[in-house]
Amino acid sequence: MEIRRNQERNIAVEVKDLKYTYSKGLPYEKEALVSVNLLVFEGEAIGVLGHTGSGKSTLIQHLNGILMPDSGEVKIFGEKINNDKKFLKNLRKIVGIVFQFPEDELFAETVYEDVSFGPKNLGLTKEEIDERVLTSLIEVGLNESYLTRSPFSLSGGEKRRVAIASILSMRPKILVLDEPTSGLDPLGREEILKLIKRLKNDKKVTIILVSHSMEDVLSLVDRVYILNKGKVVFGGDTVSIFKDKDSIEKFDLSIPEIFILGEELKKEGFNIEEPFRDVEIAKKEIIRNLK
Ligand code: ADP
């Protein structure tokens, strides 16, 4: 695919004046996206926030052609999404979407079968498929011993990781995750956050995170877009938004406690070099100050 450059960074996703109405022309038609504009650079992690019904899910379904714009455009690595079958097949290799509660979609008798389903449709050899399955499992923190297990015998967190592995086995360059930690226990949540960070930092996967969890957003993404009634009402740097009282109130966000701790310590005269985006950073900064 042709790659456009902007200030030395490739543009992974470009959405321009995107409009979408459900059941158009019918008495109960619903305008879900009024006008959405956004830009995501390759290798970046962005967050999409907004109340239920603001259009997040409708937006992400446009990123791999599940929905087609009524008007406006969606470009992935410079190419405008269209209805062509071959184009869509290729697009779905590039953009992987992990929907909410993806473990509900697991269907096969073994983990191997579930994770190999995508690659099997790509015309790869058995060796290539096996290699992808195993690599994807390792990426999500599982191992070979899971291959023959039934997905239904696994814990909630493990099931979710298998579901994510089945998307990663397509080797997407852009990974969209809709509420990836919701419903998990703290340990399961931690595993998923670590996994997303690894994909971003080590594999350079572009991440689009839809989340209600301000903790997840603060810990994972560089920039956020806030949607309201089908429009982007804010786009900006993650740390700045949590520092800005007006934005917090206006967009009805909550500030993660770990972030508040960092700001309080700074006021107390601690030399805090990095905003507290997660416990690891907080630990590092506090230990440095105590030395
Ligand atoms: P979010 O993901 O932010 O909760 P959605 O994209 O699901 O928002 O919904 C945006 C708007 O579109 C809401 O008003 C919702 O009720 C409506 N909507 C979503 N899916 C459908 C559908 N399949 N048919 C009709 N209206 C829908």
Side-chain angles (χ1 to χ4, degrees), residues 10 20 25 40 69 71 76 95 116 148-149 157-158 161 163 188 214 216 220 222 251 271 275 279:
N10 298 327
Y20 187 81
V40 186
S71 66
I76 304 293
V95 183
S116 63
T148 52
R149 290 178 66 178
E158 287 171 333
R161 282 189 276 155
M214 293 303 126
D216 292 3
L220 287 176
D222 312 311
F251 303 123
N271 171 24
V279 177

Side-chain angles (χ1 to χ4, degrees), residues 107-218:
F107 64 94
E109 282 179 19
T110 64
V111 166
Y112 176 84
E113 270 181 80
D114 256 312
V115 181
S116 63
F117 182 77
K120 272 184 184 157
N121 289 324
L122 296 180
L124 303 171
T125 66
K126 170 93 171 63
E127 284 72 32
E128 285 167 330
I129 294 170
D130 289 356
E131 196 270 327
R132 281 196 179 204
V133 171
L134 190 57
T135 311
S136 310
L137 276 187
I138 291 169
E139 268 167 9
V140 299
L142 301 174
N143 59 39
E144 216 167 347
S145 74
Y146 283 80
L147 288 173
T148 52
R149 290 178 66 178
S150 158
F152 304 101
S153 69
L154 308 177
S155 74
E158 287 171 333
K159 270 188 210 158
R160 186 156 305 174
R161 282 189 276 155
V162 169
I164 296 176
S166 70
I167 303 285
L168 293 180
S169 66
M170 299 295 280
R171 305 262 162 93
K173 285 190 161 76
I174 300 170
L175 187 65
V176 183
L177 301 119
D178 191 358
E179 301 286 356
T181 63
S182 79
L184 296 180
D185 60 22
L187 198 67
R189 171 176 175 267
E190 213 40 57
E191 288 291 346
I192 299 289
L193 292 183
K194 267 199 276 180
L195 155 65
I196 300 172
K197 276 186 194 161
R198 274 201 307 274
L199 289 171
K200 177 181 178 251
N201 297 334
D202 304 344
K203 306 275 170 194
K204 310 294 176 212
V205 175
T206 304
I207 304 286
I208 297 177
L209 174 79
V210 174
S211 181
H212 279 106
S213 161
M214 293 303 126
E215 282 78 12
D216 292 3
V217 167
L218 179 66

Side-chain angles (χ1 to χ4, degrees), residues 4-264:
R4 248 181 72 195
R5 286 185 172 273
N6 179 294
Q7 299 162 342
E8 296 303 307
R9 296 168 86 189
N10 298 327
I11 297 174
V13 180
E14 185 171 14
V15 176
K16 269 195 199 157
D17 197 18
L18 172 61
K19 299 186 197 323
Y20 187 81
T21 301
Y22 287 100
S23 311
K24 213 175 170 65
L26 297 175
Y28 47 89
E29 72 171 23
K30 173 76 208 169
E31 192 179 25
L33 300 179
V34 178
S35 172
V36 172
N37 292 282
L38 60 84
L39 207 56
V40 186
F41 292 101
E42 185 173 30
E44 181 179 42
I46 67 132
V48 178
L49 319 184
H51 288 297
T52 304
S54 58
K56 304 181 297 294
S57 152
T58 307
L59 169 66
I60 63 174
Q61 290 179 75
H62 279 85
L63 301 181
N64 75 349
I66 298 172
L67 295 177
M68 287 290 163
D70 287 339
S71 66
E73 58 184 34
V74 177
K75 286 183 180 169
I76 304 293
F77 289 114
E79 282 213 29
K80 191 170 160 182
I81 288 189
N82 63 67
N83 245 330
D84 177 69
K85 251 187 165 169
K86 233 169 112 188
F87 178 85
L88 286 178
K89 195 172 175 203
N90 193 37
L91 176 68
R92 286 179 188 150
K93 283 188 244 169
I94 298 173
V95 183
I97 303 188
V98 179
F99 287 103
Q100 278 190 52
F101 301 105
E103 57 278 13
D104 293 349
E105 306 299 320
L106 296 174
F107 64 94
E109 282 179 19
T110 64
V111 166
Y112 176 84
E113 270 181 80
D114 256 312
V115 181
S116 63
F117 182 77
K120 272 184 184 157
N121 289 324
L122 296 180
L124 303 171
T125 66
K126 170 93 171 63
E127 284 72 32
E128 285 167 330
I129 294 170
D130 289 356
E131 196 270 327
R132 281 196 179 204
V133 171
L134 190 57
T135 311
S136 310
L137 276 187
I138 291 169
E139 268 167 9
V140 299
L142 301 174
N143 59 39
E144 216 167 347
S145 74
Y146 283 80
L147 288 173
T148 52
R149 290 178 66 178
S150 158
F152 304 101
S153 69
L154 308 177
S155 74
E158 287 171 333
K159 270 188 210 158
R160 186 156 305 174
R161 282 189 276 155
V162 169
I164 296 176
S166 70
I167 303 285
L168 293 180
S169 66
M170 299 295 280
R171 305 262 162 93
K173 285 190 161 76
I174 300 170
L175 187 65
V176 183
L177 301 119
D178 191 358
E179 301 286 356
T181 63
S182 79
L184 296 180
D185 60 22
L187 198 67
R189 171 176 175 267
E190 213 40 57
E191 288 291 346
I192 299 289
L193 292 183
K194 267 199 276 180
L195 155 65
I196 300 172
K197 276 186 194 161
R198 274 201 307 274
L199 289 171
K200 177 181 178 251
N201 297 334
D202 304 344
K203 306 275 170 194
K204 310 294 176 212
V205 175
T206 304
I207 304 286
I208 297 177
L209 174 79
V210 174
S211 181
H212 279 106
S213 161
M214 293 303 126
E215 282 78 12
D216 292 3
V217 167
L218 179 66
S219 151
L220 287 176
V221 308
D222 312 311
R223 289 191 303 125
V224 294
Y225 285 100
I226 301 180
L227 286 188
N228 187 28
K229 296 186 180 143
K231 280 189 189 157
V232 172
V233 289
F234 176 90
D237 173 72
T238 309
V239 169
S240 309
I241 197 172
F242 286 117
K243 281 186 178 172
D244 178 18
K245 278 209 179 80
D246 289 346
S247 296
I248 297 287
E249 247 173 56
K250 192 160 140 203
F251 303 123
D252 198 16
L253 306 172
S254 59
I255 315 177
E257 282 181 12
I258 193 82
F259 188 77
I260 297 175
L261 175 68
E263 298 302 293
E264 292 294 322

